[in-house]
Each structure stands twice: as structure tokens, then as C-alpha cells.
């Protein structure tokens, strides 16, 4: 395992390279499946213990915002305010709640955070491979408020709020472009909100900005390459590959957190 961050000398070259490899893997999965960038990146970084979870969550927010701004640049994207507004408002409120919850955790409770993150990743992996038929009618407004709120809380905690909103939208009788544009808009606004709150708390460090600056060109380049030269893999194969990666990441986090929790409560 690579040496972790050093407070005096900074991250070593092998840690930087491992981090960029994780970014590349998460970006590739995102391009093929439409989500899971944040979940895969934060899961791999946590397993390898490259940088603290709070720092990588900020990096994910910056990369998400930058990628979204490039993606939606140009003509006004197709959006439906009846769908977007409940998702957007509830998710922004959820981001605030998630940020508050993250700040309320002390060192003794970080194991719970790892356990929760591992569970979220495992749920996301199952959602990726379970085939659900779209609904015949659009869900009611309360379902959109709940999905948006859950998305926001997860974005506030981990910058990985994709599972609830992706699962909910793809079950609706909506077109792909509308779903895609809605997701991009919600994730971008959540990322901007999270970055604003983190900056207001004085926790936007120079090292975080550097990691984001070195990773963003890689994210943009790989996204363009995958769109330009899509790999000859079936969607089923891609989904199972990403499923295996998510299970590995989530299972490892849970296996790491459980002994800490047992030791905590026995003590």
C-alpha cells in the first residue's frame, strides 16, 4: 500500500499516481453507466487510505461541478420544472443536513461513517444490476422530494448522492435526455452548495485544490475519449464489472469498520 499523506512533505509521487488511477477508473465507470463516479472514487481512496474522506469528498464536488459545466455548455438543456424543482430544493436542504452531520462526528464516530459509506456503496451496486421496469405513470411529488432529500444528505456526507435519485428517475416514464439533464443539474447545484459550505467553514485547503486541478484534465480527457471511441462491451458486461468493483469497495469498508465499532463498544 502506498504511503499516505505527509503533513510536512505532502503526498508522495506514488500516492498521486494511485489517486489519478482511481480517478481514471471512476471516470471510466461513470462514462459507461451514467453514475457511480463519486461512490467508486471515495470507496477506492478509502480502501487504499490515500487521503482523508473529507478531503476526497471536496475533490469529488469540484470534479462533478467542472464536468457538469462542460457537459451542459451550449444550448439550453431540456428540463421539466415540475420534476426538477422538488428534487433540487430538497437535495440542497439535504446537503446542508449532510454537512452538519459530517461536522458533528468526532474521531470515535468515524467508524460509523465508514460503515454507512460501505452500506451505501453496496446498495448502489445492487441497484446497478437489478433491472426494474419503468412505471407507467409519473410518481407523485412526495416521492421526488424524498429522493432529492436522500440524494442531498449523501452528497453532503460523501459527495456521492447518486443512488436514490438515479434509481428513482430511471423508473419514471421519462426520456433519457430529460433524465440526464436533470441529474447533471441537480448534481452540479449540490456540488456548488457543498463547496460553498465547505469554503465558508474554512476547510477548502490548498492541497484539495491541487488534487482537483491535477485530476480535472484527466476526467475531461477520459470522458471525451470514451464518448469518441466507446469500448466494444455489452451494457450487461459493463454493469457487472462495475458491480464487482463497487462490492469490493463497499465490502472492504464494512470489514474495516466493524472491528473498530466492536472494539469501541467493548471498551
Amino acid at each position: 500500500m502506498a504511503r499516505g499523506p505527509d503533513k510536512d512533505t505532502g503526498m508522495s509521487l506514488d500516492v498521486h499516481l494511485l489517486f489519478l488511477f482511481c480517478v481514471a477508473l471512476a471516470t471510466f465507470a461513470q462514462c459507461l453507466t451514467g453514475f457511480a463516479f463519486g461512490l467508486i472514487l471515495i470507496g477506492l481512496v478509502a480502501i487504499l487510505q490515500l487521503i482523508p474522506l473529507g478531503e476526497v469528498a471536496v475533490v469529488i464536488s469540484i470534479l462533478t461541478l467542472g464536468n457538469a459545466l462542460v457537459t451542459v455548455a451550449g444550448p439550453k438543456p431540456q428540463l421539466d420544472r415540475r420534476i426538477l424543482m422538488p428534487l433540487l430544493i430538497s437535495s440542497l436542504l439535504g446537503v446542508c443536513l449532510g454537512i452538519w452531520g459530517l461536522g458533528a462526528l468526532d474521531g470515535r464516530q468515524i467508524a460509523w461513517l465508514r460503515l454507512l459509506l460501505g452500506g451505501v456503496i453496496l446498495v448502489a451496486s445492487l441497484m446497478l444490476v437489478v433491472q426494474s421496469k419503468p412505471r407507467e405513470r409519473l410518481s407523485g411529488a412526495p416521492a421526488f422530494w424524498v429522493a432529492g432529500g436522500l440524494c442531498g444528505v449523501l452528497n453532503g456526507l460523501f459527495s456521492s448522492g447518486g443512488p436514490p435519485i438515479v434509481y428513482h428517475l430511471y423508473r419514471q416514464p421519462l426520456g433519457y435526455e430529460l433524465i440526464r439533464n436533470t441529474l447533471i443539474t441537480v448534481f452540479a447545484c449540490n456540488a456548488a452548495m457543498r463547496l460553498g459550505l465547505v469554503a465558508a467553514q474554512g476547510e477548502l485547503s490548498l492541497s484539495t485544490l491541487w488534487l482537483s486541478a491535477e485530476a480535472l484534465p484527466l476526467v475531461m480527457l477520459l470522458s471525451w475519449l470514451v464518448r469518441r471511441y466507446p469500448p466494444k462491451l455489452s451494457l450487461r458486461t459493463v454493469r457487472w464489472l462495475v458491480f464487482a468493483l463497487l462490492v469490493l469497495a463497499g465490502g472492504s469498508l464494512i470489514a474495516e469498520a466493524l472491528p473498530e465499532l466492536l472494539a469501541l463498544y467493548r471498551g
Side-chain angles (χ1 to χ4, degrees), residues 116-140:
L116 178 59
L117 177 57
V120 168
I121 293 177
L122 288 182
V123 171
S125 68
L126 293 174
M127 288 166 53
L128 188 64
V129 297
V130 171
Q131 301 294 328
S132 298
K133 295 182 179 180
R135 295 170 54 91
E136 295 182 359
R137 296 182 180 179
L138 196 67
S139 297

Side-chain angles (χ1 to χ4, degrees), residues 57-70:
V58 177
V59 172
I60 290 172
S61 294
I62 295 175
L63 297 181
T64 299
L65 183 58
N67 200 12
L69 291 176
V70 172

Side-chain angles (χ1 to χ4, degrees), residues 73 88 143 148 192:
L88 188 57

Side-chain angles (χ1 to χ4, degrees), residues 162-177:
I165 189 173
V166 169
Y167 179 75
H168 179 68
L169 284 180
Y170 273 101
R171 292 198 64 215
Q172 305 302 315
L174 301 171
Y176 168 75
E177 288 296 326

Side-chain angles (χ1 to χ4, degrees), residues 25-38 40 67 187 223 242:
L25 200 58
T27 302
F28 186 70
Q30 169 78 13
C31 292
L32 295 179
T33 65
F35 83 109
F37 173 79
I40 291 179
N67 200 12
F187 291 157
S223 299
V242 178

Side-chain angles (χ1 to χ4, degrees), residues 1-237:
M1 183 178 295
R3 182 174 62 85
D6 190 301
K7 293 182 179 180
D8 297 323
T9 61
M11 290 170 58
S12 61
L13 178 60
D14 58 340
V15 174
H16 277 283
L17 293 176
L18 266 178
F19 173 73
L20 290 177
F21 174 76
C22 294
V23 170
L25 200 58
T27 302
F28 186 70
Q30 169 78 13
C31 292
L32 295 179
T33 65
F35 83 109
F37 173 79
L39 288 172
I40 291 179
L41 181 55
I42 203 169
L44 292 176
V45 167
I47 291 172
L48 297 173
Q49 298 182 0
L50 300 179
I51 56 179
L53 293 184
E55 187 171 347
V56 72
V58 177
V59 172
I60 290 172
S61 294
I62 295 175
L63 297 181
T64 299
L65 183 58
N67 200 12
L69 291 176
V70 172
T71 303
V72 300
K76 185 177 180 180
Q78 177 190 1
L79 292 168
D80 187 335
R81 291 177 60 87
R82 297 174 304 169
I83 294 173
L84 176 63
M85 295 313 295
L87 290 174
L88 188 57
I89 295 173
S90 60
S91 65
L92 291 177
L93 293 174
V95 169
C96 298
L97 181 60
I99 288 288
W100 174 83
L102 189 62
L105 293 174
D106 57 30
R108 290 169 56 87
Q109 295 171 313
I110 195 65
W112 279 110
L113 186 61
R114 291 177 181 171
L115 183 65
L116 178 59
L117 177 57
V120 168
I121 293 177
L122 288 182
V123 171
S125 68
L126 293 174
M127 288 166 53
L128 188 64
V129 297
V130 171
Q131 301 294 328
S132 298
K133 295 182 179 180
R135 295 170 54 91
E136 295 182 359
R137 296 182 180 179
L138 196 67
S139 297
F144 285 91
W145 283 91
V146 172
L150 291 175
C151 169
V153 170
L154 292 177
N155 272 327
L157 288 171
F158 314 125
S159 285
S160 304
I165 189 173
V166 169
Y167 179 75
H168 179 68
L169 284 180
Y170 273 101
R171 292 198 64 215
Q172 305 302 315
L174 301 171
Y176 168 75
E177 288 296 326
L178 179 59
I179 293 176
R180 172 181 171 273
N181 293 336
T182 302
L183 290 174
I184 291 174
T185 302
V186 171
F187 291 157
C189 292
N190 279 205
M193 171 68 83
R194 194 182 196 283
L195 286 175
L197 292 174
V198 170
Q201 295 174 349
E203 298 179 0
L204 194 59
S205 65
L206 184 60
S207 62
T208 302
L209 295 176
W210 169 250
L211 284 173
S212 303
E214 72 180 36
L216 188 57
L218 178 62
V219 171
M220 301 302 179
L221 177 61
L222 283 179
S223 299
W224 179 83
L225 287 174
V226 173
R227 288 195 301 267
R228 178 81 175 180
Y229 308 103
K232 296 181 179 179
L233 297 174
S234 68
L235 181 59
R236 180 180 177 84
T237 301

